[in-house]
């Protein structure tokens, strides 16, 4: 067998390259006649029964193909020789590799891409065009562009979400909501009694590759699963079926997310739950431990190695871990990062719980870009059982959020104090601000104003493209300001949408620890920033930590749980997090004001 070479390219690859060139030329505003010749050649490449790579050197035969003239024959020969087309590569360099991805969005053609390019919505310097577009939509920068009505913009936004889901991973909140919908449907079937998410969703990972759901009950007993399988397969949210077996049904839901539903008898439910929760690395290490102890561990049971018919444990996870000489541990810890040893030695940390959070100190109101009033936020805080909240609207540099200038900030503080008084001690409402860190690290509001608020969060919201050195110096300078008490969403990422900005996180965390500036874990499911790994680092460095919902709507305070799961993944305890303390303890834990 020869080594694969470019001449083994199939006709579809020829067609794709020609089609992409046509798209790029259209974005470039090239002559429509020339564009059409590329599209016709692409179609011809797709249709012909002749193998282009085999006949590329034979010009007369190429020219016999309908839709291929002299100039396109030369292009095909170029592709056969080099695997690409110079025109395409030049245009791609000019407009950025991201535009091809952009064209895969529903309803998105070269004309729209050209429109976005001319309007500065996308730039060739950034290869994440889909991400740039998503940001522009969120920021309202498409409003007013030709052919961009509210309906069209909404269609694009949804198209991006769908595309992302089918292209890869899915955010934890989106996966969680889908899992709950499916579980509610499954539990309506007589004979399905319990449905539990396993896999990365159960481990609380910030994004999920596919959904693993386990179901059990009398209808899930082997050889009697037929009706239950049919019921699963008729879930109304199914987009397409992947596989339907005796105890497993796999499908895609509308948005492209894959779901694996497994039907299991109760006797082996614990073993299955343990196995399908993973992670793979945790399971591998656990199986090795089992082998050393003379057991074999599978998705069905923990059994004796010398006689696999002797089952040691299988019904619950607790029994399995106990038989392996271990304590049961939270799924969030199961990444083979030392949890097996800790558990075996009885040294598992007492992980933070959602119920231990006493306050939420980052949220926005109608004063800037929030949708609820101060009162509504306070009432929502009460419903969460909190002892305190802080209102922290944006500052003036973020004009598109209607950020506060000094005068409005002072007025806002007065209004917050009024609501605080009206709550009569049922909940404390602190005055605060999310002050913007300007490009050079200066803060967006005067110290005299910051001095009047309990909670000053400093965050980066602009100029994400700065170099690592610039950005690190910028954030360092910001936290040197003695009024800054919390560093907000420290890396600025938006999951599946915007990468974290370049930052020497270690250096920033070290300095924050020295200064006593608390670092935020932003529990908003689109941020979850610092990530689990950086949270661990923050703890090692002795940072004070705070977890916040960053709500822009009273309904979002309840999303704190997504963040708590990341804290668990970083092995944090209530002691590590300032807002598990009561109001006085929380304030005392913040950096002292000058
Ligand atoms: P994901 O879906 O990419 O977010 O991540 P997971 O962890 O949900 O991975 P997935 O869906 O491929 O598999 C679910 C669980 O099943 C996984 O966490 C552990 C278990 N598992 C899957 N394949 C293997 C394997 O080859 N060996 C072992 N020991 N466990 C496996
Ligand atoms: Ca999975
Ligand atoms: Ca899976
Ligand atoms: Zn922010």
């Amino acid at each position: 067998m020869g080594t694969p070479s470019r001449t083994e390219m199939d006709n579809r690859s020829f067609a794709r390259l020609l089609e992409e060139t046509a798209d790029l030329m259209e974005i470039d505003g090239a002559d429509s006649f020339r564009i059409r010749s590329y599209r016709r050649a692409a179609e011809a490449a797709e249709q012909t029964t002749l193998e282009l790579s085999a006949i590329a050197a034979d010009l007369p035969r190429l020219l016999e193909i309908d839709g291929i003239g002299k100039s396109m024959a030369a292009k095909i020969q170029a592709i056969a020789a080099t695997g690409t087309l110079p025109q395409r590569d030049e245009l791609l360099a000019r407009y950025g590799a991201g535009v091809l991805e952009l064209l895969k969005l529903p309803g998105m053609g070269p004309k729209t891409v050209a429109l976005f390019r001319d309007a500065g919505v996308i730039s060739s310097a950034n290869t994440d065009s889909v991400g740039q577009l998503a940001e522009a939509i969120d920021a309202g920068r498409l409003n007013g562009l030709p052919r961009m009505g509210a309906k069209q913009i909404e269609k694009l936004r949804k198209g991006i979400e769908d595309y992302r889901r089918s292209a890869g991973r899915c955010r934890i909140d989106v996966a969680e909501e889908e899992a709950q919908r499916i579980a509610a449907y499954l539990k309506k079937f007589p004979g399905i009694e319990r449905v539990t998410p396993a896999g990365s969703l159960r481990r609380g990972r910030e994004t999920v590759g596919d959904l693993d759901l386990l179901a059990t009950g009398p209808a899930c007993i082997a050889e009697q699963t037929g009706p239950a399988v049919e019921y699963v397969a008729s879930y109304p949210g199914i987009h397409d079926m992947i596989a339907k077996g005796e105890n497993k049904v796999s499908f895609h839901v509308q948005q492209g997310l894959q779901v694996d539903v497994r039907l299991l008898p109760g006797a082996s439910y614990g073993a299955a739950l343990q196995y399908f929760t993973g992670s793979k690395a945790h399971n591998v290490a656990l199986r090795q431990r089992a082998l050393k102890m003379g057991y074999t561990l599978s998705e069905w049971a923990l059994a004796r190695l010398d006689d696999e018919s002797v089952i040691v444990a299988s019904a619950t996870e607790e029994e399995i871990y106990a038989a392996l000489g271990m304590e049961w541990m939270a799924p969030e810890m199961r990444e083979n990062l030392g949890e097996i040893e800790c558990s075996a030695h009885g040294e598992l940390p007492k992980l933070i719980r959602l119920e231990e959070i006493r306050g939420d100190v980052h949220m926005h109101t109608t004063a800037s870009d929030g949708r609820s009033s101060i009162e509504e936020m306070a009432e929502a805080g009460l419903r969460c059982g909190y002892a305190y909240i802080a209102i922290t609207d944006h500052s003036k540099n973020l004009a598109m959020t209607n950020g506060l200038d000094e005068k409005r900030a002072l007025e806002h503080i007065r209004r917050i104090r009024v609501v605080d008084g009206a709550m009569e001690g049922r909940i404390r409402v602190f005055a605060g601000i999310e002050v913007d860190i300007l490009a050079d690290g200066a803060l967006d509001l005067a110290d005299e104003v910051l001095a009047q608020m309990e909670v000053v969060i400093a965050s980066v919201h602009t100029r994400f493209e700065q170099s690592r050195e610039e950005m690190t110096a910028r954030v360092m300078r910001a936290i040197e300001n003695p009024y800054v008490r919390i560093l907000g969403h420290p890396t600025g990422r938006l999951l599946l949408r915007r990468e974290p900005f370049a930052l020497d996180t270690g250096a920033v965390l070290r300095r924050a620890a020295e200064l006593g500036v608390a670092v935020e874990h932003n529990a908003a499911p689109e941020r979850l920033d610092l990530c689990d790994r950086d949270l661990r680092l923050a703890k090692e460095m002795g940072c004070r930590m705070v977890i916040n919902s960053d709500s822009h709507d009273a309904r979002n305070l309840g999303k704190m749980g997504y963040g708590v799961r990341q804290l668990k993944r970083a092995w944090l305890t209530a002691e590590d997090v300032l807002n598990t303390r009561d109001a006085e303890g929380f304030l005392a834990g913040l950096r002292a004001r000058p």
Side-chain angles (χ1 to χ4, degrees):
M1 274 220 279
T3 48
S5 74
R6 291 206 170 102
T7 54
E8 283 167 28
M9 274 174 69
D10 61 4
N11 284 10
R12 291 202 64 167
S13 307
F14 282 86
R16 185 177 50 79
L17 286 168
L18 292 163
E19 194 69 51
E20 286 175 0
T21 310
D23 286 342
L24 289 163
M25 286 166 74
E26 197 165 343
I27 295 170
D28 193 45
D31 173 62
S32 63
F33 180 80
R34 282 187 55 221
I35 296 170
R36 216 159 33 236
S37 68
Y38 276 87
R39 291 208 196 282
R40 278 185 61 211
E43 203 166 318
E46 193 111 40
Q47 296 299 330
T48 181
T49 50
L50 298 170
E51 205 179 325
L52 292 175
S53 58
I55 62 160
D58 188 349
L59 187 62
R61 283 195 76 189
L62 278 182
L63 291 171
E64 272 169 34
I65 302 173
D66 234 14
I68 294 183
K70 268 204 189 119
S71 115
M72 285 304 126
K75 305 294 174 203
I76 286 170
Q77 291 181 323
I79 294 174
T82 65
T84 183
L85 263 185
Q87 287 91 331
R88 171 185 171 276
D89 294 353
E90 273 163 37
L91 289 167
L92 215 48
R94 188 171 324 155
Y95 296 117
V99 298
L100 290 178
E101 207 186 2
L102 214 50
L103 286 167
K104 290 183 192 150
L105 295 177
M108 182 72 107
K111 288 207 176 65
T112 318
V113 175
L115 170 75
F116 290 157
R117 187 211 55 202
D118 295 341
V121 168
I122 51 169
S123 75
S124 57
N126 188 334
T127 56
D128 183 17
S129 301
V130 174
Q132 282 188 297
L133 177 59
E135 262 185 67
I137 291 173
D138 287 353
R141 274 184 277 130
L142 259 44
N143 303 337
L145 290 183
R147 289 180 281 122
M148 284 294 136
K151 263 208 192 118
Q152 183 59 25
I153 293 174
E154 177 56 25
K155 200 174 130 198
L156 276 177
R157 197 190 58 74
K158 209 175 156 302
I160 292 172
E161 267 178 25
D162 293 354
Y163 173 74
R164 289 223 156 101
R165 245 165 278 179
S166 58
R169 305 184 66 85
C170 160
R171 254 169 35 193
I172 185 174
D173 56 325
V174 178
E176 172 84 37
E177 281 162 24
E178 188 61 52
Q180 280 173 6
R181 272 194 293 276
I182 300 172
Y185 170 82
L186 295 182
K187 277 192 261 183
K188 281 193 210 136
F189 189 74
I192 295 184
E193 287 167 350
R194 252 181 92 193
V195 180
T196 321
S200 49
L201 180 60
R202 184 161 183 245
R203 300 199 311 281
R205 279 197 59 183
E206 58 197 28
T207 62
V208 165
D210 68 7
L211 262 185
D212 304 280
L213 295 178
L214 306 187
T216 191
C220 305
I221 291 166
E223 284 158 29
Q224 299 170 29
T225 54
V229 164
E230 287 314 314
Y231 180 76
V232 176
S234 3
Y235 172 59
I238 293 179
H239 180 266
D240 58 273
M241 190 58 71
I242 300 168
K244 201 164 79 172
E246 217 194 302
N247 52 20
K248 181 181 170 190
V249 184
S250 293
F251 52 83
H252 288 119
V253 289
Q254 307 295 352
Q255 320 297 355
L257 175 65
Q258 182 176 329
V259 182
D260 297 334
V261 178
R262 290 185 173 82
L263 304 173
L264 300 150
S268 64
Y269 199 64
L273 187 56
Q274 195 290 312
Y275 180 89
F276 290 111
T277 296
S279 68
K280 214 176 273 188
H282 174 89
N283 286 357
V284 168
L286 202 64
R287 236 182 356 248
Q288 280 165 356
R289 182 178 172 87
L291 286 175
K292 274 191 207 137
M293 296 174 74
Y295 299 132
T296 159
L297 179 61
S298 74
E299 59 194 283
W300 300 106
L302 180 72
R304 287 251 305 265
L305 196 54
D306 54 358
D307 181 357
E308 290 191 24
S309 66
V310 183
I311 288 174
V312 179
S314 65
T316 68
E317 282 191 333
E318 283 83 353
E319 288 168 31
I320 292 168
Y321 282 112
L324 291 170
M326 299 164 69
E327 292 173 35
W328 181 89
M329 75 199 75
E332 288 87 351
M333 298 185 78
R334 303 184 197 170
E335 298 287 351
N336 196 29
L337 293 171
E339 75 279 8
I340 293 182
E341 296 74 14
C342 277
S343 162
H345 294 134
E347 288 166 359
L348 288 174
K350 200 169 171 297
L351 300 185
I352 187 168
R353 289 174 301 124
L354 177 60
E355 303 79 59
E356 290 176 305
I357 308 290
R358 306 285 304 273
D360 185 349
V361 295
H362 182 169
M363 62 187 73
H364 301 263
T365 69
T366 49
S368 64
D369 61 346
R371 287 176 292 275
S372 310
S373 65
I374 304 169
E375 290 88 344
E376 285 166 336
M377 289 312 223
E379 292 294 341
L382 265 177
R383 283 195 295 279
C384 291
Y386 292 149
Y388 52 95
I389 60 167
I391 302 293
T392 56
D393 277 294
H394 288 292
S395 62
K396 62 180 186 286
N397 186 46
L398 295 185
M400 66 191 178
T401 71
N402 190 27
L404 307 172
D405 59 16
E406 277 80 358
K407 186 158 163 278
R408 285 180 62 217
L410 290 172
E411 177 55 34
H412 199 39
I413 295 173
R414 273 191 291 278
R415 273 196 232 104
I416 294 167
R417 302 282 181 229
V418 169
V419 175
D420 183 42
M423 297 311 287
E424 297 180 323
R426 288 182 298 148
I427 187 168
R428 294 281 307 275
V429 184
F430 297 135
I433 191 92
E434 183 180 17
V435 64
D436 202 47
I437 300 177
L438 302 178
D440 63 357
L443 297 184
D444 191 24
L445 290 177
D447 286 354
E448 302 81 71
V449 176
L450 301 180
Q452 303 197 33
M453 315 194 203
E454 288 83 33
V455 177
V456 176
I457 303 172
S459 312
V460 168
H461 295 104
T462 56
R463 298 287 301 277
F464 297 105
E465 73 286 358
Q466 284 182 343
S467 71
R468 184 175 150 105
E469 291 69 32
E470 282 175 304
M471 189 59 93
T472 304
R474 173 183 181 186
V475 174
M476 294 277 224
R477 179 172 171 210
I479 62 177
E480 293 295 334
N481 181 304
Y483 294 99
V484 172
R485 304 184 103 182
I486 299 173
L487 176 61
H489 46 72
T491 74
R493 72 169 177 180
L494 291 176
L495 284 167
L496 308 176
R497 178 173 299 193
R498 185 171 72 207
E499 289 297 307
F501 45 68
L503 184 74
D504 186 344
T505 314
V508 168
L509 292 177
R510 191 174 316 112
R511 189 68 187 134
E514 286 165 8
L515 294 167
V517 172
V519 294
E520 175 181 81
H521 175 71
N522 194 297
E526 64 271 22
R527 291 190 180 272
L528 297 176
D529 167 25
L530 296 173
C531 69
D532 46 14
R533 189 196 53 237
D534 287 344
L535 285 168
R536 271 191 177 217
L537 184 63
K539 177 171 178 159
E540 277 168 31
M541 299 218 163
C543 288
R544 308 176 192 193
M545 279 176 265
V546 170
I547 178 170
N548 291 317
S549 73
D550 193 1
S551 291
H552 287 66
D553 189 305
R555 285 172 300 192
N556 288 351
L557 270 75
K559 297 195 178 179
M560 190 72 98
Y562 294 117
V564 171
R565 303 198 63 186
Q566 307 311 307
L567 303 187
K568 287 184 177 172
R569 290 178 58 81
W571 297 30
L572 300 192
T573 68
E575 288 73 53
D576 297 320
V577 179
L578 287 180
N579 50 328
T580 59
R581 304 183 182 179
D582 64 16
E584 293 315 315
F586 167 73
L587 288 181
L590 293 176
R591 177 195 212 173
R593 286 189 292 192

